[in-house]
Amino acid sequence: MDLSEILKKENLSREEICFILNLTEQEDIDKLQAAALQTLYNNIGNYIYIRGLIEFSNYCTCDCIYCGIRKSNQKNERFLLTKDEILSCVEWIIEKKFASVVLQSGERRDTDFVEYVVDIVKTIKKISRNDAMPDGLGITLAVGEQSFETYQKFYEAGAHRYLLRIETSNSHLYKSLHSSQQAFEDRIKCLKYLQDIGFQIGSGVMIGLPSQTIEDLANDILFFKNMDIDMLGMGPFIPHFDTPLGVISNNFDAKNQLLLGLKMIAVARLVLKDVNIASTTALETLHSDGRIMGLQFGANVVMPQATPNKYKKNYLLYNKKPVIDEQDDAVFEKMQRDFSNIGRSIAFETWGDPIHFQRKKASSPIATPFA
Ligand code: 5AD
């Protein structure tokens, strides 16, 4: 296969995606990176959309064998941010003119939790409307699998984006990573519910899981295309030593994981073109410039942590997750300098909705809110 020819193609086959994911020569990686960046610029432009990320609770009813906040990890001190704590994170996000917030937590389906989320979403909408942003902050939720009715309540409260990772599109691998209560089909059903309600949907996978193959990853990319997702958040798998998968992952190679993560971002950009792709913290864990590298391989979204520092240590999904004080002005200024050094800048005071969703809606006969 000829890389330059493949990179010129409009659509890539599974075999071609595998070929790209198997690249190792620096010269080839450089070509891939340049093509991914060009695709980003052609479809979206060079702006970076920022979302303030609030990890507001680590209580979780799931027992995923890779995740540090799994129910069975008794070493993890559990927390739920109070409404005032969440709103003070939101104040910081408004002050920074980020325009979008992501509320993420462990998975709970009890009424108290659902009502709490609804109330928080409504309150954020109410307090964030101003002259510059008459529609208030854009709100993304990432609180796991819920019923259709719950998703509808979240949407009616004012959330308009939802992140729910498929983790892997290989149903056998999925089964081996999750408890028997967590069915692969349910995850897909939830993504469809969210789409039907009108949410912009985001999904993603972990990259480099033990026993995951390059074909699996190529299938993940095709899965995203097939599901017509609007947003993508993927990151390398990183062992957490208080989890069943973490203790057996002793041949972990950070350099390879990082490269594979970057190649996945690039190939996702080439295939999915106009979706929003996040450069995730997991990349930063593997390399201090990992997040910038993700942007250079085609990502266009960054989610600085707005979670209060005292809780961050209890939201460690994997080992060595950086506990950086991103509310510190010096850290924020450095981030902006890093962006400008690679010819990019932050799009302030705009929700930064995925172009993919906007195009989809423009061609759909049914009018939906949040035009
Ligand atoms: N390594 C990398 N990502 C992880 N996540 C959970 N545990 C790990 C890990 N050990 C990711 C999952 C989840 C998201 C919130 O964090 O993909 O959906």
Side-chain angles (χ1 to χ4, degrees):
M1 283 199 214
D2 181 88
L3 179 62
S4 303
E5 287 306 312
I6 293 178
L7 294 177
K8 281 188 216 143
K9 287 188 165 182
E10 200 43 37
N11 291 301
L12 300 182
S13 67
R14 179 176 292 107
E15 290 67 34
E16 288 163 341
I17 297 174
C18 288
F19 176 79
I20 292 179
L21 293 176
N22 278 318
L23 294 175
T24 50
E25 298 297 319
Q26 191 56 47
E27 192 189 334
D28 292 338
I29 308 288
D30 291 346
K31 276 190 200 164
L32 170 65
Q33 181 184 347
L37 213 50
Q38 196 56 52
T39 305
L40 169 69
Y41 289 170
N42 291 347
N43 286 278
I44 301 188
N46 73 341
Y47 277 110
I48 295 169
Y49 302 135
I50 301 279
R51 285 81 172 90
L53 171 63
I54 307 176
E55 293 153 333
F56 68 93
S57 174
N58 64 355
Y59 283 97
C60 194
T61 54
C62 295
D63 227 3
C64 315
I65 67 167
Y66 48 84
C67 183
I69 66 165
R70 69 198 300 266
K71 162 175 87 173
S72 302
N73 181 8
Q74 295 186 349
K75 293 194 190 155
N76 202 346
E77 212 179 298
R78 304 288 161 168
F79 69 86
L80 170 68
L81 260 58
T82 64
K83 188 170 170 180
D84 280 349
E85 284 172 322
I86 297 178
L87 296 181
S88 84
C89 302
V90 169
E91 292 294 345
W92 177 75
I93 292 166
I94 297 172
E95 191 191 302
K96 285 284 170 217
K97 303 187 167 41
F98 287 168
S100 281
V101 58
V102 179
L103 294 167
Q104 190 185 69
S105 73
E107 191 166 302
R108 278 175 59 183
R109 278 187 279 275
D110 56 284
T111 314
D112 283 355
F113 178 77
V114 170
E115 293 309 323
Y116 189 58
V117 174
V118 167
D119 180 42
I120 296 287
V121 169
K122 283 186 181 160
T123 312
I124 293 177
K125 272 285 160 198
K126 202 158 69 191
I127 65 163
S128 62
R129 290 198 170 99
N130 58 36
D131 289 345
M133 290 195 303
D135 293 321
L137 285 180
I139 303 180
T140 310
L141 291 178
V143 297
E145 291 180 22
Q146 304 287 344
S147 66
F148 184 88
E149 291 69 32
T150 297
Y151 285 146
Q152 206 154 24
K153 276 189 198 165
F154 291 161
Y155 190 73
E156 281 160 13
H160 79 296
R161 301 186 186 119
Y162 204 99
L163 306 176
L164 184 65
R165 289 188 176 183
I166 190 72
E167 313 298 358
T168 170
S169 66
N170 176 332
S171 58
H172 300 288
L173 181 56
Y174 186 95
K175 200 169 171 197
S176 73
L177 297 171
H178 298 101
S179 68
S180 55
Q181 286 100 306
Q182 295 172 270
F184 181 72
E185 295 71 29
D186 287 343
R187 194 59 66 103
I188 294 184
K189 199 163 68 186
C190 284
L191 284 168
K192 295 212 166 117
Y193 284 166
L194 291 161
Q195 223 159 15
D196 287 347
I197 291 169
F199 278 99
Q200 298 170 13
I201 61 157
S203 196
V205 291
M206 283 174 290
I207 304 161
L209 288 159
S211 90
Q212 188 182 40
T213 64
I214 290 294
E215 285 72 29
D216 287 333
L217 293 171
N219 286 333
D220 291 342
I221 300 282
L222 296 172
F223 171 87
F224 302 139
K225 190 172 159 94
N226 217 358
M227 287 293 295
D228 208 7
I229 62 152
D230 308 294
M231 305 170 293
L232 186 57
M234 315 174 282
F237 162 69
I238 300 168
H240 186 298
F241 299 122
D242 296 321
T243 65
L245 197 62
V247 288
I248 58 161
S249 302
N250 41 16
N251 55 355
F252 180 76
D253 178 342
K255 216 168 148 206
N256 268 342
Q257 287 293 86
L258 176 67
L259 181 60
L260 194 55
L262 295 173
K263 287 190 284 190
M264 274 293 276
I265 290 181
V267 85
R269 175 58 69 202
L270 292 176
V271 173
L272 305 170
K273 298 188 173 52
D274 55 3
V275 303
N276 278 351
I277 302 182
S279 193
T280 57
T281 348
L283 289 171
E284 188 129 302
T285 308
L286 297 178
H287 191 290
S288 56
D289 287 331
R291 214 158 53 173
I292 290 290
M293 292 176 179
L295 293 169
Q296 287 178 297
F297 276 75
N300 67 321
V301 170
V302 169
M303 306 198 287
Q305 278 171 281
T307 315
N309 283 330
K310 65 173 172 172
Y311 296 114
K312 281 185 191 150
K313 66 175 186 336
N314 291 319
Y315 206 90
L316 299 182
L317 304 169
Y318 39 80
N319 282 112
K320 305 202 183 78
K321 186 175 164 198
V323 179
I324 304 168
D325 184 0
E326 290 180 304
Q327 280 110 300
D328 183 326
D329 282 342
V331 173
F332 180 60
E333 279 158 25
K334 175 173 181 310
M335 187 174 82
Q336 280 187 291
R337 273 198 309 277
D338 289 345
F339 293 166
S340 99
N341 286 341
I342 59 162
R344 312 276 284 274
S345 55
I346 296 177
F348 287 107
E349 287 182 324
T350 167
W351 281 6
D353 283 336
I355 303 278
H356 184 75
F357 186 80
Q358 297 173 26
R359 287 200 178 126
K360 230 170 27 183
K361 218 163 29 106
S363 62
S364 149
I366 306 157
T368 44
F370 308 109

